[in-house]
């Protein structure tokens, strides 16, 4: 427990620091995290006998993150046409499988692409949160992280004390409806605190953002648990002592980040 707390504390400091140190550090840090998460995903599915194309998958992961990051940066308008290189790099996943002699080529292709959707795309949307206003602003990604952590904390505290009604026992026996409600409540309180310092949204809009994070962050957690159970592993990795792997640490972000981005995009562009 002590090791978990120490690791969590330093990791939180690094994550928040990456936001405060400017757009280049922010982009580089989350590009690194997304690539490590993809590496972790491919390593897990290999344990199940599947053979995703690791080099081509990583190349495409970097291309997706970087090229869509350039779309968000006003000063990078000259590089935006490079996004049309993606059909070429993505087609390489199919072409390389033609040259191999695997018995299940489309299973390998499918999991190569699934890794990109599961590990790269969510971080791409999370990075884009900082550019919703047109220029770099750390408020939205920081608020996202604070509310995601508030949800995890609230769900754990309330669920461990009052949890009786199982939420989705087949995939996560410890999660309860009481814990989910506790997570939503604590996240709403965090949204109230954020509203005192960040005037980007109204109080109700911050609260709705928190509710989305709670609901879909929990969904992401359940989906990652389903994935691990399907390949019979306890943790996605061991890169974070006491916490497991990066997919374990960011499971709440996987589904929530794209949906929160969509919500905020329409809120901030009305």
């Amino acid at each position: 427990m002590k090791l978990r707390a120490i690791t969590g504390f330093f990791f939180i400091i690094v994550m928040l620091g990456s936001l405060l140190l400017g757009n280049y550090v922010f982009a580089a840090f989350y590009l690194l995290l997304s690539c490590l998460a993809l590496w972790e995903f491919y390593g897990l599915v290999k344990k199940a006998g599947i053979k995703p194309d690791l080099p081509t998958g990583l190349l495409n992961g970097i291309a997706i993150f970087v090229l869509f990051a350039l779309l968000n940066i006003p000063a990078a308008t000259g590089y935006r046409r490079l996004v049309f290189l993606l059909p070429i790099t993505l087609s390489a996943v199919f072409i390389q499988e033609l040259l191999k002699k695997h018995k299940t080529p489309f299973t390998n292709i499918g999991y190569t692409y699934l890794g990109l959707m599961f590990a790269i795309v969510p971080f791409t949307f999370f990075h884009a949160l900082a550019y919703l206003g047109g220029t770099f602003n750390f408020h939205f990604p920081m608020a996202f992280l604070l509310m995601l952590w508030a949800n995890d904390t609230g769900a754990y505290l309330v669920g461990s004390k009052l949890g009786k009604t199982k939420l989705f026992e087949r995939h996560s026996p410890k999660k309860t409806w009481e814990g989910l409600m506790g997570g939503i409540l604590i996240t709403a309180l965090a949204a109230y605190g954020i509203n005192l310092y960040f005037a980007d949204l109204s109080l109700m809009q911050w609260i709705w953002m928190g509710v989305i994070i709670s609901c879909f962050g929990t969904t992401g957690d359940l989906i990652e648990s389903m994935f691990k159970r399907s390949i019979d592993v306890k943790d996605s990795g061991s890169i974070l002592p006491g916490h497991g792997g990066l997919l374990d640490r960011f499971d709440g972000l996987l589904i929530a980040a794209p949906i929160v981005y969509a919500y905020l995009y329409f809120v901030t562009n009305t």
Side-chain angles (χ1 to χ4, degrees), residues 157-174:
L157 293 176
V158 175
S160 61
K161 298 294 183 182
L162 304 175
K164 294 181 180 179
T165 310
K166 300 299 182 182
L167 178 63
F168 223 115
E169 189 171 9
R170 181 158 57 96
H171 296 304
S172 188
K174 294 182 180 180

Side-chain angles (χ1 to χ4, degrees), residues 108-250:
N108 301 333
I109 291 169
Y111 273 92
T112 302
Y113 278 114
L114 178 60
L116 298 174
M117 291 296 298
F118 196 67
I120 299 294
V121 170
F123 283 102
T124 301
F125 274 99
F126 178 76
H127 174 266
L129 286 175
Y131 293 91
L132 276 166
T135 57
F136 178 75
N137 182 350
F138 67 85
H139 290 181
F140 286 135
M142 178 175 282
F144 181 99
L145 291 175
L146 292 175
M147 287 193 274
L148 186 64
W149 296 332
N151 176 65
D152 290 344
T153 302
Y156 172 76
L157 293 176
V158 175
S160 61
K161 298 294 183 182
L162 304 175
K164 294 181 180 179
T165 310
K166 300 299 182 182
L167 178 63
F168 223 115
E169 189 171 9
R170 181 158 57 96
H171 296 304
S172 188
K174 294 182 180 180
K175 281 190 167 37
T176 62
W177 282 101
E178 293 83 0
L180 175 62
M181 294 300 106
I184 292 174
L185 177 61
I186 299 299
T187 305
L189 292 175
Y192 175 79
I194 289 167
N195 181 67
L196 298 177
Y197 295 95
F198 297 160
D200 307 79
L201 300 175
S202 69
L203 174 59
M204 283 308 302
Q205 288 170 339
W206 282 121
I207 290 175
W208 275 114
M209 177 178 168
V211 172
I212 293 170
I213 289 171
S214 292
C215 293
F216 288 99
T218 302
T219 302
D221 192 337
L222 289 168
I223 290 171
E224 205 249 346
S225 294
M226 177 176 66
F227 169 60
K228 289 190 295 184
R229 286 177 179 273
S230 71
I231 57 176
D232 196 27
V233 297
K234 182 177 183 296
D235 295 321
S236 66
S238 58
I239 193 171
L240 299 173
H243 290 265
L246 288 173
L247 293 176
D248 294 320
R249 183 67 272 175
F250 289 102

Side-chain angles (χ1 to χ4, degrees), residues 12-93:
I12 287 171
I13 295 299
V14 171
M15 290 176 66
L16 294 179
S18 72
L19 286 169
L20 299 174
L21 290 174
N23 58 330
Y24 292 112
V25 174
F26 175 59
F29 180 71
Y30 282 94
L31 170 61
L32 176 63
L33 279 185
S34 64
C35 289
L36 289 174
L38 182 61
W39 182 289
E40 195 172 86
F41 177 88
Y42 287 154
L44 288 172
V45 297
K46 281 185 175 181
K47 294 181 180 179
I50 299 161
K51 298 177 180 178
D53 194 320
L54 178 60
T56 308
L58 285 172
L59 173 65
N60 276 285
I62 294 169
I64 290 169
F65 190 99
V66 171
L67 293 177
F68 279 97
L70 290 173
L71 290 179
N72 293 315
I73 301 174
T77 53
Y79 298 96
R80 291 179 179 178
R81 291 186 179 183
L82 293 176
V83 75
F84 292 104
L85 291 174
L86 281 178
I88 298 173
T89 60
L90 288 169
S91 66
V93 177

Side-chain angles (χ1 to χ4, degrees), residues 251-266:
D251 50 10
L253 182 147
L254 300 177
I255 304 297
I259 294 175
V260 166
Y261 179 88
Y263 164 73
L264 290 177
Y265 177 84
F266 288 107

